[in-house]
């Protein structure tokens, strides 16, 4: 079985997906949806400016070199609603803390909310999602944060 590999750009995260050439674009989007935890119906993939349709077979394209970069667009949630995400800390094994956010909430705004909720100074922790450190000023949508996602809070080492 022949496999193809894709890098999925469009946000701060760039997941890599590998699948057989017999797979459809819908199957690619389903795999991607599992990785970034976003409903497939919100995902649009493009290659060289052309929108890929769900029924197209991956092996029908002349991609060039692998991994091939595809551009991902995620349809925003209607009305920019608030939703709950969960923050886990590496410092303890307690229940994750629920934080109310929007897709347009920035990482630094999320850090302030965590500081208020958990009592840990934003200077003393970093945030990670899907293994990537989250950067200030990026909206949560750049990391494909959606309702129910879990963000990791890593306490910075202290100098003693």
């Amino acid at each position: 079985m022949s496999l193809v590999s894709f890098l999925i750009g469009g946000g701060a995260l760039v997941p890599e997906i590998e699948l057989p050439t017999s797979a459809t674009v819908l199957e690619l989007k389903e795999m991607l949806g599992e990785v970034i935890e976003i409903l497939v119906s919100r995902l649009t993939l493009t290659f060289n400016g052309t929108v890929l349709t769900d029924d197209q077979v991956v092996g029908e394209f002349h991609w060039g070199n692998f991994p091939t970069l595809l551009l991902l667009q995620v349809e925003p949630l209607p009305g920019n609603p608030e939703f709950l995400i969960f923050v886990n800390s590496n410092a303890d094994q307690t229940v994750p803390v629920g934080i109310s956010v929007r897709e347009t909430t920035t990482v630094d705004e999320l850090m302030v909310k965590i500081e208020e909720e958990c009592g840990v100074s934003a200077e003393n922790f970093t945030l990670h999602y899907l293994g990537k450190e989250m950067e200030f000023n990026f909206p949560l949508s750049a990391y494909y944060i959606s309702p129910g996602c879990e963000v990791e809070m890593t306490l910075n080492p202290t100098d003693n």
Side-chain angles (χ1 to χ4, degrees):
M1 168 190 330
S2 182
L3 297 174
V4 291
S5 182
F6 298 97
L7 292 175
I8 311 297
L13 296 174
V14 183
E16 185 168 355
I17 304 287
E18 186 175 83
L19 69 166
T21 55
S22 60
T24 64
V25 170
L26 177 59
E27 290 169 315
L28 171 60
K29 287 168 56 176
E30 288 169 343
M31 290 178 74
L32 178 60
E34 288 178 24
V35 171
I36 64 173
E37 300 179 12
I38 296 206
L39 294 173
V40 171
S41 61
R42 295 181 59 204
L43 306 180
T44 301
L45 289 170
T46 60
F47 177 65
N48 288 341
T50 301
V51 173
L52 305 180
T53 60
D54 289 346
D55 61 339
Q56 291 177 300
V57 176
V58 171
E60 294 175 356
F61 292 91
H62 300 286
W63 301 109
N65 296 330
F66 289 104
T68 296
L69 181 65
L70 299 180
L71 180 63
L72 172 65
Q73 295 174 307
V74 178
E75 182 180 327
L77 292 169
N80 194 28
E82 284 192 9
F83 55 86
L84 203 60
I85 63 169
F86 299 95
V87 178
N88 292 313
S89 171
N90 70 332
D92 56 44
Q93 298 299 321
T94 60
V95 175
V97 175
I99 305 283
S100 183
V101 296
R102 299 177 191 275
E103 289 179 316
T104 55
T105 300
T106 61
V107 172
D108 45 323
E109 291 169 339
L110 173 59
M111 292 179 80
V112 168
K113 289 181 178 222
I114 293 169
E115 183 174 36
E116 292 169 354
E117 185 70 30
C118 300
V120 177
S121 172
E123 297 172 348
N124 295 329
F125 66 87
T126 55
L127 297 176
H128 295 82
Y129 184 65
L130 298 177
K132 177 156 175 71
E133 184 174 337
M134 299 172 74
E135 299 179 31
F136 294 127
N137 298 323
F138 276 81
L140 298 182
S141 60
Y143 294 95
Y144 310 119
I145 300 292
S146 60
C149 286
E150 290 189 13
V151 172
E152 294 293 324
M153 177 176 71
T154 304
L155 296 178
N156 299 332
T158 57
D159 295 328
N160 290 335

